[in-house]
Amino acid sequence: DGGITQSPKYLFRKEGQNVTLSCEQNLNHDAMYWYRQDPGQGLRLIYYSQIVNDFQKGDIAEGYSVSREKKESFPLTVTSAQKNPTAFYLCATDGRQGLSTEAFFGQGTRLTVV
Amino acid sequence: AQSVTQLGSHVSVSEGALVLLRCNYSSSVPPYLFWYVQYPNQGLQLLLKYTSAATLVKGINGFEAEFKKSETSFHLTKPSAHMSDAAEYFCAVSDRGGKLIFGQGTELSVKP
């Protein structure tokens, strides 16, 4: 089955703890993205990667880190420096064909601080 | 800089009525424009996209949108709402580099 797999679906984090959200894709897409979704704020870009071993900060990168060691995988770590991590996190890939682009999304991970 | 404004965070229509969700964009380059739908606790699904071909774009589930450059708008419509259309809808713009800028979202409710 082709697609984007995010795990876990629900994640609980204690104060001061780092947690890692997984995103795996088998679409053979080069570009991958992490977005954060909060009620009434739409989606905001955290980090993105357009090629293996390279990634760039998005609009709200503080308190987050990523790696892109394999084309298929783009894990997101929410560090203790992120003061308000409770949110819905979405991973996406870019199915670019020539000049046309279309983002495909995973099912999301809901992170809650307890 | 690009931006997207969705007018109305909540829209309520009766089943069978016209659905109109408004989106205005700002872009310094010819934009790509998208509408996505999100059901509770799920990811986003592409409804339709505009990439500088026909200005009237037809998407899935009977939705369509018209690109109006003079009004910098890309409003989403559906002639007759169905209960299953209740969801959150996001308009997005891309600078063709792949990154998407999203609006705040519009929650659509459909009354029986």
Side-chain angles (χ1 to χ4, degrees):
Chain A
D1 228 24
I4 303 167
T5 302
Q6 288 189 242
S7 61
K9 189 170 178 64
Y10 298 96
L11 185 58
F12 297 90
R13 190 193 95 167
K14 294 181 179 179
E15 294 280 355
Q17 191 178 43
N18 292 356
V19 290
T20 297
L21 284 59
S22 171
C23 178
E24 302 281 331
Q25 57 110 348
N26 61 6
L27 300 170
N28 200 34
H29 290 166
D30 286 316
M32 298 186 73
Y33 306 82
W34 274 105
Y35 291 91
R36 170 178 170 143
Q37 184 178 15
D38 296 282
Q41 295 192 49
L43 280 73
R44 293 180 290 168
L45 183 64
I46 305 172
Y47 268 98
Y48 64 102
S49 168
Q50 295 182 317
I51 197 168
V52 175
N53 292 323
D54 188 45
F55 49 83
Q56 284 79 39
K57 294 181 179 180
D59 300 318
I60 55 165
E62 184 175 353
Y64 300 97
S65 65
V66 294
S67 62
R68 187 82 187 279
E69 297 176 0
K70 299 186 300 181
K71 187 175 185 177
E72 301 78 18
S73 179
F74 191 42
L76 173 74
T77 297
V78 184
T79 75
S80 57
Q82 171 51 239
K83 297 307 178 189
N84 184 23
T86 294
F88 191 52
Y89 292 85
L90 287 160
C91 178
T93 68
D94 179 4
R96 190 171 307 176
Q97 295 180 359
L99 292 180
S100 179
T101 185
E102 176 181 334
F104 294 82
F105 285 82
Q107 294 298 296
T109 293
R110 186 166 296 282
L111 174 63
T112 304
V113 174
V114 296
Chain B
Q2 295 179 304
S3 65
V4 174
T5 302
Q6 291 184 238
L7 300 177
S9 58
H10 292 90
V11 170
S12 182
V13 300
S14 297
E15 192 172 19
L18 171 72
V19 175
L20 171 61
L21 304 182
R22 300 178 186 272
C23 173
N24 288 88
Y25 70 91
S26 170
S27 178
S28 58
V29 298
Y32 288 161
L33 294 160
F34 305 82
W35 275 100
Y36 285 87
V37 61
Q38 184 183 35
Y39 298 99
N41 290 312
Q42 293 190 25
L44 276 66
Q45 179 184 7
L46 182 70
L47 278 177
L48 48 82
K49 65 180 179 181
Y50 167 77
T51 57
S52 74
T55 57
L56 182 62
V57 182
K58 294 187 184 297
I60 62 172
N61 301 339
F63 285 94
E64 63 181 37
E66 186 172 7
F67 172 67
K68 292 188 176 180
K69 184 178 179 180
S70 61
E71 299 177 7
T72 61
S73 69
F74 191 58
H75 302 330
L76 181 71
T77 61
K78 182 174 180 178
S80 177
H82 191 272
M83 296 297 291
S84 62
D85 295 327
E88 188 153 23
Y89 292 79
F90 291 94
C91 182
V93 62
S94 167
D95 63 0
R96 304 190 178 195
K99 290 185 294 178
L100 291 170
I101 306 298
F102 286 88
Q104 293 87 342
T106 297
E107 185 175 353
L108 175 66
S109 301
V110 182
K111 298 175 291 186

